[in-house]
Amino acid sequence: SAQDELKRRVMREAVETSLLIIAVLVAVLLVAPKVFSTDVPLAVVASQSMEPVLHVGDLIVVSGARKPEVGDVVVYVKPNGELIVHRLIEVREGLGGTVYVTKGDANPAPDVPFPAYMVKGRVELVVPYVGSVRLVFEKAIHGLLGFYGKLRA
C-alpha cells in the first residue's frame, strides 16, 4: 500500500541521514587533529578553576597552530596524563629550554612551571555547556563501574 511505501521511504531516509551524520562525525574526529595542529582539538572543562571565563561543561576548541603568548588560555598535559586548561601567565627562557607558568583564573596560586612541549594548544573557541552531556555520561559510567567494582570485591 501507499502508506507502507511511505513508511519504508521515511525509514530508509532516516537510516541514510544517520549514517551520513556518523560519517561526518568520524571524518571530523580524524581530520580535526591535523586541521587544528594538536592531538587534543576538543576538550570539555571539568573544573571551576577558570571561572568566570570558562564553566564546567563548556566545550573548548583547541589549536596548536600558533605559539601561545602570555594571557592566552592553554591546554597542557600533566605527567600523569591529566589535561589542564589554565591561563599562561609567564614564559621563562633558560638553558633547559622554554618553561611556562600557568594559573587558573579562580585559583589563588600559579601552577608548577612546566616545559613548553607539554602544551597541546591555545583555546580558540568556547561553546558554553555543550560538554555537560559528556560529563554527566562519564560520571554515570564511573559510578556504575565503581558500583560494579564494589560488588565484585
Side-chain angles (χ1 to χ4, degrees):
S1 77
Q3 191 174 18
D4 289 338
E5 179 59 31
L6 178 62
K7 285 180 183 178
R8 279 193 293 274
R9 193 174 88 218
V10 168
M11 183 61 85
R12 185 175 52 245
E13 288 177 4
V15 169
E16 289 172 355
T17 301
S18 297
L19 290 174
L20 179 63
I21 290 170
I22 291 169
V24 167
L25 287 174
V26 168
V28 165
L29 291 174
L30 292 175
V31 172
K34 291 179 180 24
V35 171
F36 292 106
S37 302
T38 180
D39 57 343
V40 185
L42 300 172
V44 177
V45 177
S47 79
Q48 298 173 339
S49 66
M50 283 299 295
E51 293 277 356
V53 175
L54 298 174
H55 307 282
V56 172
D58 286 355
L59 176 70
I60 54 174
V61 178
V62 180
S63 173
R66 187 167 69 78
K67 185 178 175 182
E69 300 173 1
V70 170
D72 288 341
V73 176
V74 299
V75 174
Y76 71 94
V77 62
K78 292 172 71 172
N80 67 3
E82 181 183 10
L83 291 173
I84 304 294
V85 56
H86 281 171
R87 189 173 308 281
L88 181 60
I89 62 168
E90 185 181 348
V91 177
R92 299 177 186 166
E93 300 292 343
L95 295 176
T98 304
V99 174
Y100 289 156
V101 180
T102 58
K103 179 182 171 298
D105 289 357
N107 290 351
D111 304 324
V112 174
F114 57 89
Y117 69 82
M118 295 173 78
V119 168
K120 296 297 182 178
R122 300 169 51 243
V123 174
E124 299 290 344
L125 178 69
V126 179
V127 185
Y129 303 110
V130 169
S132 295
V133 173
R134 177 180 168 199
L135 292 176
V136 168
F137 180 73
E138 284 178 351
K139 283 184 181 181
I141 293 298
H142 287 294
L144 287 173
L145 292 176
F147 180 69
Y148 178 70
K150 288 178 185 171
L151 288 176
R152 293 185 63 206

